[in-house]
Every structure is written in structure tokens, then in C-alpha cells.
Amino acid sequence: MASVAWAVLRVLLLLPTQTWSPVGAGNPRDCDAPLASALPRSSFSSSSELSSSHGPGFSRLNRRDGAGGWTPLVSNKYQWLQIDLGERMEVTAVATQGGYGSSDWVTSYLLMFSDGGRNWKQYRREESIWGFPGNTNADSVVHYRLQPPFEARFLRFLPLAWNPRGRIGMRIEVYGCAYKSEVVYFDGQSALLYRLDKNSLKSIRDIISLKFKAMQSNGILLHREGQHGNHITLELIKGKLVFFLNSDNAELPSTTAPVTLTLGSLLDDQHWHSVRIELLDTQVNFTVDQHTHHFQAKGESSYLDLNFEISFGGIPTPGRAWEFTHKSFHGCLENLYYNGVDIIELAKKHKPQILMMGNVSFSCPQSQTVPVTFLSSRSYLALPGNSGEDTVSITFQFRTWNRAGHLLFGKLRRDSGSFVLFLKDGKLKLSLFQLGQSPRNVTAGAGLNDGQWHSVSLSAKWSHVSVVVDDDTAFQPLVAVLIDSGDTYYFGALYERSCEAHKHRGNPSGLYYIDADGSGPLGPFLVYCNMTDAAWTVVRHGGPDAVTVRGTLSGRPRSAASFAYAGIPLSWWVGRTNETHTYWGGSLPDAQKCTCGLEGSCIESQYYCSCDAGRNEW
Ligand SMILES: *[C@@H]1O[C@H](CO)[C@@H](O)[C@H](O)[C@H]1NC(C)=O
Ligand SMILES: *[C@@H]1O[C@H](CO)[C@@H](O)[C@H](O)[C@H]1NC(C)=O
Ligand SMILES: *[C@@H]1O[C@H](CO)[C@@H](O)[C@H](O)[C@H]1NC(C)=O
Ligand SMILES: *[C@@H]1O[C@H](CO)[C@@H](O)[C@H](O)[C@H]1NC(C)=O
Ligand SMILES: *[C@@H]1O[C@H](CO)[C@@H](O)[C@H](O)[C@H]1NC(C)=O
């Protein structure tokens, strides 16, 4: 009987473009209390420990208990130290120290944070994708102030480099304070309606601030309408926030189109983002995370005539309380303030100003699917296959702005070849490589590099292989192979630069893909690596053009690299001193795109940077 080997995951190939500023958060001046030292040992966990006295519970700053700090079993880049703060806190600084009286310290590390301990976000340090500066000896403490702070319950320290004459060794502290959080959850069929007090003086300036965490890429965040078609609407559309403002009198011939302003992208990443809207007649300041845009509607009237009702999460149809004219929001709102009024608190207390429509609840559920972001062209995910099964079925979702990149790699039964699922020119391709045969390809879908989620399903049964993208494109050629991973499926980039690198990984002789120049212009190619030889040999597989190369292929550094692999989440450029920058000419640090991308003025608007559209300009 055939059983099914399957794997389901969502693959996030691009990071969110911004970190947020703490709108309405506590005053950073008095938000410096040590948070980790008071926690019990059980709040600390880690990837591994060298011995029971090197456990994560011994990683509190300036303590000397146990062996004097946390040290993992093996010192490599796959280790982490995690702290559970017990609840979401505002975190303003971190500090690190090596293991007490040892030669074990970490010289550079990454910091990740998470609400629930599953969906992690990397804290981006200024303009750099590199790690945080760590220690240079075992005992001095290195502080790092987080600008901006973040809110999280879980933190992870990931050592990147350590004393070459010692091991990974860490003691840490986290500084911050309590974070006040009122949340409301909309299931995509619910909304809150807030009735403003008609008798109170109309405030001159309206200020709306909130944070949102979106589970889906489309939905109404807020809406207020008035006489003559005047309205303001904030809507999430394909992961971007769009602010609509119409101040024209609909009964007169319209002289201008309604004003719309779009900010952000990939905001549906299930992480918190902040929004602040300041409205003075038709003048608007619109801030998403840290990016503010100022604009003014140039309609007939500079006066916005709005009703005394504002809805959040959806636009209720008048008269029919549970129907919505637009797609409603699915996700959570937090700390929602309208001119200083805490809307969520009013809703919780069932105040008469608030009408709840549909199923509204006051806690934010953790998502069941967790996206995985590939941070470098070397990042990949290896999942166990099911050796010897007749049927293989793999489904996952991905998103990327890259036109080319690798999604999945696996071997054919009994090492008779391999298959690669990859993007090329925005299309999904499956290539089957078999010994002694030219590669066979299947293509499906188009325009898949639009930054939206796409679902992929690959199945192989007997000699049929099918690839389905977004449920509407399928190809089912007959191929005389069985896809049987034998041991492992690799998601994301999976290319060593050379056979030598494969050898270092302990791989035996066989067919391998190598990518000689990393994210350069050369694609990866299939080679035979003969591991028996001390100086390895590369034999290009597949016919008369077989070549034998001796020595090491070396990649030439490029001064500017655009997206080349699906495995690279960012576009970046390499500076004169080989430092990596995630922003481009004129753009804000950490925006991970060019100025034109932020302002939507790129030559081809779907790309972040003009150079991504194949142009020479940024
Ligand atoms: C927008 O921000 C600027 C600068 O902070 C401020 O001067 C202006 O009054 C703001 N406009 C509105 C409508 O709040
Ligand atoms: C309302 O939502 C909560 C939490 O999301 C859920 O447990 C409950 O079953 C829902 N109720 C209805 C009537 O849909
Ligand atoms: C399949 O794709 C590979 C490269 O991906 C190419 O070399 C080969 O010619 C293609 N085969 C066919 C039959 O199109
Ligand atoms: C691998 O290298 C060894 C030593 O040079 C040689 O004897 C052997 O034939 C090679 N194998 C292949 C498949 O090229
Ligand atoms: C930058 O990297 C290249 C290649 O790795 C190296 O040859 C060069 O010396 C480096 N330059 C600096 C300034 O570190």
C-alpha cells in the first residue's frame, strides 16, 4: 500500500521592510529595568548545552553559578539561547558577557524576537544585516541600546562568531519595562463601530493610532464616511497599506480623483506594525512603522464632512449589521486610540458608544502556520524524506520578489539523479536530472515573483509527476522516474560553492549542484564530485561537454548584487570595506529598498529598486 510522504510549510522569502516605532508605548527614559536577572532558570532554554553546569539557566549577567555561563555542546552557527520574559515586554537594550573565568565569549550575534516563540523576527541593527557587536573577553559587559525598542515575550541570541581559542560562552541581560497592550481580534467577518459623541466639540485635529498584526493580506482596518461621498478609509491591499481620502462633493462634477497613499509592503507577515494618522481637514500625516508621509487632498473643498461614526475591521452595510461591503480584516489590532480614547477598552467594557459586529474577541491567537525566511543564499531547510515510498506529495507556500531562485531540491530513487524546483523569470520550473539523459523540465505559473503568497504542490506517483501552482496550473508529463528523496528534502538555496565544500560537509562521491559564484551571474550546475581524490575533481555531467577541473573555483565579489536567489531575502550591496548594506542610494536605513521603492516611483513599480527591473539606475 502506498503511503504519502508530505511536508507542509510556508516559505517567506522576503523580510518585512520596516521595524516599528513604539506608538503609545512607555517612556523610554524609565524603561531600563533588568528583565532577565529576576527570571527563574526555567525561563531560559537553548539549542544544546556542553554539560549540565553549562546550561542556559546559568546565563544571567554577572553571575558565577554553574560553570559561569551558557555554553552549547558544539560551538557552531546553529546554536541559540532563548529567554521567555513571561509576557510581552518592551525591550530597550541588551547586554552580553562571556563565560565567567573562561576563554569562551561571543564576538558577534543576531537577536530574534517573537510573541509566541514560533514566529520569529530578526531585529535589524541600523543599516546592517550583520550581527550585533559582542565581547572581546570573558568578563566585560557590552551593552547594546535598541533603536527603536521592540515588544516581545521571547528573545533569542544566535552566536555568529566567538573567540577562536575558546567556545561559545554567554551571559546576558535584557532591559526594558512592562508594555501595556489592549488587543482585539477580528476573524475576517467582524468589526467594531465607534459612535463619537455628537455633542462634544469637534476636535480640530483627528489622531488615530494603532498597531496591527495581519493574518491575511487584504482587509479594512478603519473607515469613516460622511456627506456627499466624503470618506477616509485605511485598507490593507496585497500586504500594503492604502489610505483613501475623498473630500470631493459627489454631487458636483469631480475635479480630482480621490487621494490615495500607499505605504509599506509585506505587512501581512503576522508581525506587529504601527500606524498613525493625523488629520487636519484635508491635510494628512500618515505614518507606517517609522515612515511618515504628509499629503493634502486637492479637492473642491478643504473641509472633510464626516459622520460621527468610525468602524474598525470592516465596513458595515447600513441597515444590515453583519454584512460588509469590503473584505474585512483578519488579524489583531492593538492599542487602538481615537483622539486619545482607548477604543478597545471601551469595547471590553461594553460601553454604549461601541457596537460589536460578528465575533470579536480580546486576545490575539498565535498563528498555526509559521513562515520561514531565508536570510542568505546559504540558508536552507532540510526536512526528512520518506525513503522507499511510492508516492511523494509536497505542498508549501512561498513569496518572493525574485525572478529566479531555488525552492526545493531532492534526489531521485537510488541516487539515479535529482530534481530541482525553482523560479525562473517568475515561472515555476521543475527540472529532472537523470544520469545519462538530458534534463527534463516542467513549467507552471507566471509572474510568481510579485511578493504575494503562492501555493505549490508537487506530487509524484509511479511515473507521473505533477506540479500545481495556486490551484490553477498543472502539468502532468509522464516521466520514467520515481521521485524518492531517500533521506532529505532541501527547501531554499542549497548550493555549496564547490565539491570541496561538499567534501567538508562529509558528503560522499556523487552528483551535486555547485554554484561557483554564489549570488553571481552563473547558475548552479550539476557536477560529479570525486571525493576519493585529495585534490577534488569536477566532472560536468551530461554528454560530450564533460569537463574536468582541478583546484578551487573562486567567486568574484560584485559591487552590487540584486536578487539572484529565492534564498536571499534582501537586495543588498557590498560597500568598499566589504560591509553589506540593506538599503540603496538615498533610502532610509533598514528600509531594504531604494528611495523609489518607498515612494512608489520606481521605473517598474512592482520592484523595490530600478536596478531590480534590470536597469542600471537605482
Ligand atoms: C504633520 O506633521 C508636521 C510635522 O510634524 C506638523 O507640523 C503638522 O501639523 C502635521 N499635520 C497634521 C495634519 O497633523
Ligand atoms: C468566536 O471566536 C472565538 C475565538 O476566536 C471562538 O472560540 C468562538 O468559537 C467563536 N464563536 C463563534 C460563534 O463563532
Ligand atoms: C531543461 O532545463 C535545463 C536547465 O534548467 C536546460 O539545460 C535543458 O536544455 C532543458 N531541457 C529541455 C528539454 O528543455
Ligand atoms: C576518482 O578518483 C580516483 C583517484 O584519482 C580514481 O581512481 C577514480 O577512478 C575516480 N572515480 C571517478 C568516478 O572518476
Ligand atoms: C573584500 O573581499 C575580497 C574578497 O573576499 C578581498 O579580496 C578584499 O581584500 C576585501 N577587502 C577588504 C577591504 O576587506
Side-chain angles (χ1 to χ4, degrees):
M1 221 166 58
S3 71
V4 177
W6 60 272
V8 179
L9 79 164
R10 274 185 121 184
V11 187
L12 175 66
L13 296 172
L14 200 72
L15 274 191
T17 53
Q18 290 118 17
T19 49
W20 61 71
S21 64
V23 172
N27 188 338
R29 272 175 304 148
D30 46 25
C31 188
D32 280 326
L35 303 178
S37 56
L39 294 172
R41 277 190 199 161
S42 57
S43 300
F44 296 78
S45 54
S46 64
S47 49
S48 66
E49 57 192 53
L50 183 62
S51 72
S52 56
S53 55
H54 290 89
F58 300 113
S59 63
R60 283 170 285 192
L61 201 76
N62 290 324
R63 299 279 282 261
R64 300 176 181 187
D65 40 355
W70 166 67
T71 292
L73 182 59
V74 187
S75 289
N76 61 26
K77 288 184 184 173
Y78 307 106
Q79 307 298 332
W80 47 262
L81 173 65
Q82 177 175 318
I83 310 170
D84 176 359
L85 298 175
E87 57 186 317
R88 259 170 95 220
M89 307 284 273
E90 180 165 348
V91 178
T92 56
V94 293
T96 59
Q97 196 178 25
Y100 173 70
S102 73
S103 52
D104 305 338
W105 62 83
V106 167
T107 55
S108 145
Y109 62 95
L110 292 182
L111 187 63
M112 314 275 288
F113 59 96
S114 167
D115 280 3
R118 291 185 70 204
N119 190 17
W120 295 90
K121 181 165 175 165
Q122 185 186 343
Y123 186 87
R124 312 228 130 240
R125 191 169 69 86
E126 287 149 19
E127 77 274 24
S128 172
I129 66 166
W130 295 133
F132 286 52
N135 300 82
T136 52
N137 56 50
D139 286 317
S140 41
V141 176
V142 174
H143 285 264
Y144 193 84
R145 180 153 291 283
L146 301 162
Q147 302 276 10
F150 61 80
E151 293 83 43
R153 173 174 165 180
F154 295 92
L155 277 84
R156 257 188 197 187
F157 294 81
L158 290 83
L160 288 180
W162 46 92
N163 178 20
R165 283 172 296 279
R167 302 171 188 266
I168 290 174
M170 276 190 121
R171 285 176 288 169
I172 50 103
E173 183 54 278
V174 173
Y175 301 89
C177 56
Y179 175 66
K180 179 181 180 290
S181 161
E182 297 271 15
V183 293
V184 60
Y185 171 64
F186 298 105
D187 61 2
Q189 285 161 348
S190 48
L192 283 182
L193 189 69
Y194 171 50
R195 297 211 175 93
L196 287 74
D197 185 356
K198 284 182 198 170
N199 300 320
S200 71
L201 282 177
K202 185 186 186 310
S203 54
I204 301 167
R205 184 201 305 262
D206 279 335
I207 299 178
I208 305 166
S209 65
L210 58 92
K211 284 173 72 166
F212 71 90
K213 184 173 176 176
M215 316 279 181
Q216 270 169 19
S217 50
N218 296 295
I220 294 283
L221 284 169
L222 67 91
H223 175 77
R224 187 177 175 189
E225 61 189 35
Q227 308 304 315
H228 318 301
N230 282 196
H231 70 94
I232 57 168
T233 305
L234 182 66
E235 187 170 5
L236 192 65
I237 300 176
K238 292 189 170 182
K240 299 178 180 187
L241 267 187
V242 186
F243 186 74
F244 298 91
L245 184 148
N246 189 2
S247 62
D248 269 351
N249 189 330
E251 285 155 18
L252 300 174
S254 176
T255 48
T256 46
V259 176
T260 65
L261 183 73
T262 304
L263 269 187
S265 68
L266 305 178
L267 298 173
D268 54 337
D269 59 352
Q270 298 179 20
H271 288 286
W272 291 104
H273 296 280
S274 68
V275 176
R276 185 180 169 89
I277 295 167
E278 299 172 335
L279 198 64
L280 181 65
D281 291 326
T282 54
Q283 291 186 52
V284 183
N285 286 345
F286 179 36
T287 307
V288 177
D289 294 329
Q290 284 143 303
H291 301 282
T292 302
H293 272 242
H294 175 83
F295 70 101
Q296 174 154 28
K298 296 193 196 68
E300 297 272 309
S301 143
S302 66
Y303 177 65
L304 208 51
D305 190 4
L306 297 173
N307 293 343
F308 289 90
E309 270 184 2
I310 180 164
S311 67
F312 299 96
I315 307 179
T317 313
R320 285 180 293 170
W322 273 269
E323 282 184 31
F324 301 101
T325 53
H326 279 60
K327 187 159 172 43
S328 299
F329 176 68
H330 183 188
C332 306
L333 298 187
E334 181 185 57
N335 297 347
L336 169 59
Y337 286 89
Y338 183 87
N339 289 342
V341 176
D342 186 338
I343 306 289
I344 298 173
E345 196 186 317
L346 290 184
K348 267 185 175 168
K349 292 181 175 163
H350 297 281
K351 294 284 181 186
Q353 302 97 301
I354 303 282
L355 185 63
M356 287 193 251
M357 283 164 285
N359 191 2
V360 173
S361 57
F362 298 101
S363 67
C364 190
Q366 297 297 330
S367 150
Q368 295 307 304
T369 55
V370 177
V372 177
T373 304
F374 295 99
L375 285 172
S376 84
S377 62
R378 299 275 173 276
S379 315
Y380 63 89
L381 196 61
L383 296 187
N386 232 349
S387 198
E389 299 296 346
D390 298 347
T391 306
V392 173
S393 163
I394 301 167
T395 64
F396 62 93
Q397 290 171 287
F398 73 93
R399 73 179 186 187
T400 183
W401 299 95
N402 301 1
R403 271 176 294 186
H406 287 79
L407 294 170
L408 175 61
F409 171 87
K411 282 192 180 147
L412 300 182
R413 168 162 291 186
R414 285 183 287 277
D415 253 346
S416 57
S418 58
F419 70 93
V420 191
L421 196 63
F422 60 105
L423 278 186
K424 194 177 179 202
D425 297 328
K427 294 175 184 149
L428 188 73
K429 291 199 164 197
L430 174 72
S431 282
L432 291 159
F433 298 90
Q434 284 177 279
L435 277 173
Q437 292 178 24
S438 58
R440 267 178 290 192
N441 309 312
V442 181
T443 304
L448 300 174
N449 57 321
D450 58 357
Q452 303 303 309
W453 288 108
H454 296 284
S455 55
V456 176
S457 152
L458 170 73
S459 55
K461 189 173 190 210
W462 302 111
S463 52
H464 296 268
V465 175
S466 81
V467 181
V468 180
V469 181
D470 295 339
D471 303 328
D472 57 10
T473 321
F475 283 81
Q476 289 194 276
L478 195 68
V479 285
V481 294
L482 285 177
I483 291 188
D484 170 7
S485 74
D487 44 10
T488 314
Y489 295 116
Y490 298 94
F491 291 87
L494 175 82
Y495 299 108
E496 299 293 352
R497 272 178 196 231
S498 61
C499 285
E500 209 167 37
H502 280 291
K503 191 180 163 101
H504 283 310
R505 289 172 59 83
N507 290 332
S509 296
L511 289 171
Y512 293 99
Y513 284 89
I514 68 167
D515 184 15
D517 65 345
S519 61
L522 293 179
F525 50 95
L526 192 66
V527 297
Y528 182 81
C529 296
N530 189 348
M531 303 300 186
T532 59
D533 201 345
W536 50 269
T537 307
V538 178
V539 182
R540 190 159 181 174
H541 162 73
D545 61 342
V547 289
T548 303
V549 183
R550 283 185 173 271
T552 304
L553 294 176
S554 66
R556 250 185 336 129
R558 296 173 9 135
S559 61
S562 183
F563 289 24
Y565 285 105
I568 303 178
L570 315 165
S571 51
W572 76 74
W573 55 280
V574 180
R576 269 171 304 185
T577 53
N578 287 350
E579 79 281 14
T580 302
H581 299 265
T582 56
Y583 63 98
W584 299 71
S587 178
L588 298 165
D590 200 39
Q592 297 160 24
K593 46 180 158 174
C594 326
T595 310
C596 75
L598 282 174
E599 291 170 354
S601 61
C602 290
I603 296 170
E604 290 179 32
S605 61
Q606 70 266 41
Y607 300 111
Y608 280 156
C609 300
S610 298
C611 48
D612 278 349
R615 313 291 178 109
N616 291 328
E617 309 139 65
W618 283 1

